[in-house]
């Protein structure tokens, strides 16, 4: 089974390029500058370009969020384009926030463990060579402190997250109404002809 997985992995990128179809495009996940800056971090997930649907990739190793490759229809209306771009921007914002937050969390956690072990007169590794750890009660102190220090940051994140989701939901409603309106106009044209 492992051999099959590695074979599929080695074929994935050439396959994505080979399946480039006409009429269907997937939106770039990140702008060109961000893609270059984060090239070592970005998942190598590549859906077939002939797909006419959004694709969700495997979790990002830094943010733990799944990236989405957005489908761009050939006849995308300005409202649909605005919705897709807002969803892309929100995804990038969310990925960036959680990647930074997780990096900070892990760094502070290691510093906390190191300082507590040092205070106890212990090394980072025990006599068998395994990494030394703290018990749950000691780690609870760290979690409480970390959440307290980052309360304001999380509050602003949640506020912005709700604003963005409200805007996305509003645009989704506009797109749905636009599609219904266009469908009704086509039906009226057929009946009048």
């Amino acid at each position: 089974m492992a051999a099959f997985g590695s074979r599929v992995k080695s074929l994935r990128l050439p396959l994505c390029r080979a399946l480039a179809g006409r009429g269907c495009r997937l939106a770039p996940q990140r702008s060109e500058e961000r893609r270059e800056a984060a090239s070592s971090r970005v998942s190598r997930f590549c859906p077939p370009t002939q797909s006419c649907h959004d694709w969700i990739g495997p979790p990002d190793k830094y943010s733990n969020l799944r990236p989405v490759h957005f489908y761009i229809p050939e006849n995308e209306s300005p409202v649909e384009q605005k919705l897709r771009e807002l969803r892309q921007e929100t995804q990038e914002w969310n990925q960036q926030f959680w990647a930074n937050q997780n990096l900070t969390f892990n760094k502070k956690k290691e510093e906390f463990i190191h300082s507590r072990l040092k205070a106890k007169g212990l090394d980072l590794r025990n006599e068998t060579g395994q990494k030394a750890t703290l018990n749950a009660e000691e780690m609870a102190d760290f979690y409480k402190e970390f959440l307290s220090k980052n309360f304001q940051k999380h509050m602003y994140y949640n506020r912005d997250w709700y604003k963005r989701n409200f805007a996305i939901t509003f645009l989704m409603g506009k797109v749905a109404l636009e599609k219904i309106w266009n469908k009704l106009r086509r039906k009226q044209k057929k009946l009048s002809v």
Side-chain angles (χ1 to χ4, degrees):
M1 191 68 167
F4 177 74
S6 63
R7 181 182 160 113
V8 168
K9 193 174 187 176
S10 67
L11 293 174
R12 184 172 42 205
L13 288 174
L15 182 63
C16 288
R17 289 187 198 106
L19 292 175
R22 64 181 212 282
C24 295
R25 306 180 321 228
L26 286 172
Q29 183 183 354
R30 301 172 192 254
S31 66
E32 202 59 44
E33 314 84 63
R34 286 188 187 175
R35 185 176 296 132
E36 288 172 11
S39 62
S40 62
R41 293 183 341 125
V42 177
S43 168
R44 298 228 184 267
F45 167 68
C46 182
T49 54
Q50 71 188 30
S51 173
C52 294
H53 302 283
D54 293 345
W55 280 68
I56 299 172
D60 180 78
K61 71 179 188 177
Y62 297 99
S63 70
N64 294 322
L65 300 176
R66 294 178 175 271
V68 179
H69 290 267
F70 295 94
Y71 164 68
I72 305 173
E74 238 180 72
N75 55 349
E76 184 177 51
S77 72
V79 178
E80 288 174 314
Q81 180 181 355
K82 190 174 180 179
L83 171 61
R84 178 183 49 79
E85 288 171 351
L86 179 58
R87 288 177 67 207
Q88 280 179 275
E89 180 187 320
T90 299
Q91 176 189 313
E92 290 173 13
W93 168 81
N94 203 22
Q95 289 275 359
Q96 188 64 45
F97 175 84
W98 285 108
N100 290 339
Q101 189 65 9
N102 291 343
L103 182 68
T104 303
F105 175 83
N106 290 329
K107 180 182 173 192
K108 296 291 183 187
K109 182 177 159 186
E110 288 300 317
E111 289 172 3
F112 177 82
I113 291 171
H114 182 71
S115 69
R116 285 286 174 104
L117 290 173
K118 194 174 183 180
K120 290 180 175 182
L122 300 172
D123 288 327
L124 291 176
R125 303 238 176 234
N126 62 20
E127 54 278 345
T128 62
Q130 291 181 330
K131 202 172 187 180
T133 59
L134 300 175
N135 65 34
E137 289 177 14
E138 292 171 309
M139 289 307 296
D141 293 338
F142 165 72
Y143 298 133
K144 181 181 176 187
E145 181 184 323
F146 185 82
L147 287 174
S148 297
K149 286 182 179 177
N150 289 279
F151 176 78
Q152 201 75 17
K153 185 193 284 189
H154 285 171
M155 190 176 72
Y156 290 134
Y157 167 80
N158 284 334
R159 183 198 60 199
D160 291 346
W161 177 247
Y162 284 115
K163 281 182 182 179
R164 288 171 179 271
N165 277 306
F166 181 76
I168 287 170
T169 303
F170 178 76
L171 284 174
M172 288 174 86
K174 280 181 80 171
V175 167
L177 288 173
E178 185 179 75
K179 285 182 178 184
I180 290 170
W181 180 253
N182 289 338
K183 199 178 235 184
L184 288 173
R185 276 198 291 170
R186 283 194 298 269
K187 277 188 179 181
Q188 282 184 334
K189 277 186 181 180
K190 280 185 180 179
L191 292 174
S192 65
V193 173

